[in-house]
Amino acid sequence: MKPKSSDPGAQAKRTISIKAVLLSLGVLLANIVINGLIFLFFRDSALNPLLTAVLAVLWGVLGVYLIYYTLTWAVEQYPDHIRRRVLPYVFIGPAVIILGWLLVLPALRTLYLSFFNASSEKFVGLSNYAAIFSDHLMATALRNNLLWVFVGTLACVCFGLLIAILADRSSYEKIAKSIIFMPMAISFVAAGVIWKFVYYYQPGDEQIGLLNAIVTYFGGEPQAWTSMLQPWNNFFLIVILIWMQTGFAMVIFSAAIKGVPDDILEAARVDGAGEVKIFFGIMIPFISATILTVTTTIIVFTLKIFDVVMVMTGGQYDTEVVATQFYRQFFMYRNFGYGSTLAIVLLIAVLPVILINLRQFRKQGGF
C-alpha cells in the first residue's frame, strides 16, 4: 500500500499558525522589553520632574496604543477561525494582567502577612483573627461600620428615590438635580473639611461653625457635635455620606424611573390607582434591579469609609471604623500582622456585596 500523502493545505495552515505564534511571542516580548527599558529610564533619570511627568504621561498614552496596535497586528496574521477566538483576549489581557498585579497579588500577600506577628517574622496562625473579635476598639469599629452600612445606605437610597420621584414632576428638575448632585463632584476629604467647619465648636458665645451659629441664634447651647455627643457623633458623620451619595442614588433612580412605560402608568391611573399605589405597585417592582445595584454600591462605600472619619475626628471619640483602625495599626504602629488581618476582614465583608452586584449585572446582560 502506498503511504497517504499529507494534505498540503493543512500543512500550510500549520506552518502559518506556527509562524503566527512565534510572531505573537516576539511582539509580546518586544513590548515587554521596550516598555521595561523606558520604565528603568524614567526611574533612574535625572531629568526635570515636570519634564519627567509630561514624558511619562505621553509614554503611558502612546505605550498603551502601541501595545494594542502591535498585538492586534500580530493576531491578524492567524487564520480567521483562530483570530476570532484570540482577538478578544488581546483587548482584555493587558487589563487582566494589570488588575492581577495591582489587586490580586497584593491581596494574596496581605493574606499571607495576616498569619504572622507584628514584624512579619513569626508565624502565629489565626491569632490575629481571634484578637480582632476580642479587642474593645475593634468591637467599637465594627459597631460603627454597621451604623454606616445600615443608616447611611438606607438614608441615601430612600432620599435618592424620593427626590428622583419629586424632581421628575417639578418644572425645576434640572436645577434641583444639579444642586443635589453637586457634592458628588468633590472628594470625601474635601467634604470632611467643609463639614468640619459646619460642626465647628469653640467655648463661648461667638461661634464660627454654621450649625452652632444657628443653634445659638435661636437661644440654644452650642455643642461639640463630633466629640462630646456620643454615640450621636457617628450619626453626624453619616450625614456627610448622605449629603454626598444621595445625588448619586437620585441620578440612577431618575434614569430608571424614566424607563417605566408611560402606557402602564396611564392604564393604572385610568383604573383608579392612586399615586402611592402606582409608586409601590408599579414603579418599585419595575426598578427593583436598579435599587439593588445602588444599594450594594453604597454599601461598598460605607464598608470602606475612611476619609470622612479621619478628617473629622481621626477615629477619636468612639468614631473608629475598620479602615481607620487598619491605617493606625499598619502605618502608625507598624503592626503588619494585625493590620493585614484587618484588611482581609474588610475584603471579606466587601466581597459578597460585589458578587451580588456582578450577578445583577449578568442578569441585566451587562456581561
Side-chain angles (χ1 to χ4, degrees):
M1 292 180 64
K2 293 182 178 180
K4 292 183 179 180
S5 59
S6 59
D7 185 3
Q11 187 175 1
K13 285 183 179 180
R14 272 197 305 271
T15 304
I16 292 173
S17 298
I18 293 173
K19 288 182 179 178
V21 170
L22 294 176
L23 182 63
S24 301
L25 293 175
V27 168
L28 181 61
L29 182 62
N31 276 298
I32 293 173
V33 171
I34 292 173
N35 286 284
L37 291 174
I38 295 174
F39 170 77
L40 293 175
F41 168 75
F42 281 119
R43 187 189 68 179
D44 302 329
S45 68
L47 296 175
N48 181 276
L50 180 60
L51 179 61
T52 302
V54 172
L55 292 177
V57 171
L58 291 176
W59 168 53
V61 175
L62 296 177
V64 170
Y65 173 78
L66 289 175
I67 288 173
Y68 278 106
Y69 178 81
T70 54
L71 289 177
T72 303
W73 175 83
V75 171
E76 287 177 350
Q77 311 308 312
Y78 286 81
D80 290 341
H81 67 286
I82 298 178
R83 184 193 313 162
R84 287 193 297 270
R85 294 182 179 181
V86 176
L87 194 58
Y89 294 99
V90 171
F91 290 99
I92 68 172
V96 171
I97 292 172
I98 292 174
L99 285 174
W101 181 28
L102 297 179
L103 293 178
V104 178
L105 290 180
L108 293 176
R109 183 175 181 273
T110 303
L111 178 63
Y112 172 78
L113 290 175
S114 68
F115 297 112
F116 287 81
N117 64 348
S119 59
S120 303
E121 296 175 350
K122 181 181 177 182
F123 181 80
V124 295
L126 298 175
S127 298
N128 290 322
Y129 292 90
I132 284 179
F133 298 100
S134 60
D135 186 1
H136 171 71
L137 286 177
M138 274 309 303
T140 302
L142 291 171
R143 180 205 68 187
N144 292 338
N145 263 111
L146 289 176
L147 283 177
W148 281 86
V149 168
F150 288 108
V151 178
T153 303
L154 182 63
C156 289
V157 171
C158 291
F159 285 135
L161 188 57
L162 179 63
I163 294 170
I165 292 290
L166 296 178
D168 191 51
R169 305 182 180 196
S170 171
S171 56
Y172 301 100
E173 178 184 1
K174 293 182 179 179
I175 297 175
K177 287 182 177 178
S178 298
I179 294 173
I180 295 170
F181 187 77
M182 198 176 297
M184 282 289 296
I186 63 177
S187 66
F188 275 102
V189 173
V193 172
I194 292 171
W195 281 84
K196 196 165 188 176
F197 286 106
V198 173
Y199 291 143
Y200 188 82
Y201 164 80
Q202 63 182 10
D205 296 330
E206 185 177 352
Q207 299 293 327
I208 64 172
L210 177 62
L211 185 56
N212 276 323
I214 295 173
V215 169
T216 54
Y217 178 80
F218 289 101
E221 291 292 328
Q223 302 289 335
W225 305 101
T226 59
S227 58
M228 292 177 62
L229 296 178
Q230 302 173 13
W232 295 101
N233 51 0
N234 286 288
F235 292 102
F236 290 119
L237 298 182
I238 293 172
V239 167
I240 304 172
L241 172 79
I242 298 170
W243 179 68
M244 293 192 67
Q245 295 300 316
T246 296
F248 161 75
M250 174 203 65
V251 169
I252 305 299
F253 288 146
S254 180
I257 289 169
K258 290 182 184 300
V260 179
D262 291 333
D263 53 349
I264 297 178
L265 300 177
E266 291 300 326
R269 292 188 179 101
V270 170
D271 290 340
E275 295 301 320
V276 174
K277 191 172 183 180
I278 290 174
F279 175 73
F280 288 103
I282 297 177
M283 288 186 177
I284 293 296
F286 195 88
I287 66 172
S288 58
T290 304
I291 293 175
L292 178 61
T293 302
V294 171
T295 301
T296 51
T297 302
I298 297 177
I299 286 175
V300 172
F301 286 147
T302 56
L303 286 171
K304 301 187 301 178
I305 197 70
F306 170 79
D307 318 64
V308 171
V309 178
M310 186 57 67
V311 171
M312 295 291 293
T313 64
Q316 302 179 77
Y317 317 114
D318 286 341
T319 60
E320 195 88 64
V321 291
V322 175
T324 56
Q325 185 68 6
F326 157 72
Y327 171 81
R328 203 179 305 282
Q329 293 289 339
F330 199 94
F331 295 103
M332 296 178 64
Y333 304 153
R334 312 299 288 175
N335 190 342
F336 300 119
Y338 194 74
S340 299
T341 306
L342 291 173
I344 294 299
V345 168
L346 199 57
L347 177 63
I348 293 172
V350 170
L351 277 179
V353 183
I354 295 176
L355 292 177
I356 292 173
N357 251 351
L358 294 177
R359 185 176 297 175
Q360 190 62 36
F361 287 146
R362 188 179 293 112
K363 287 181 180 179
Q364 296 175 351
F367 58 86

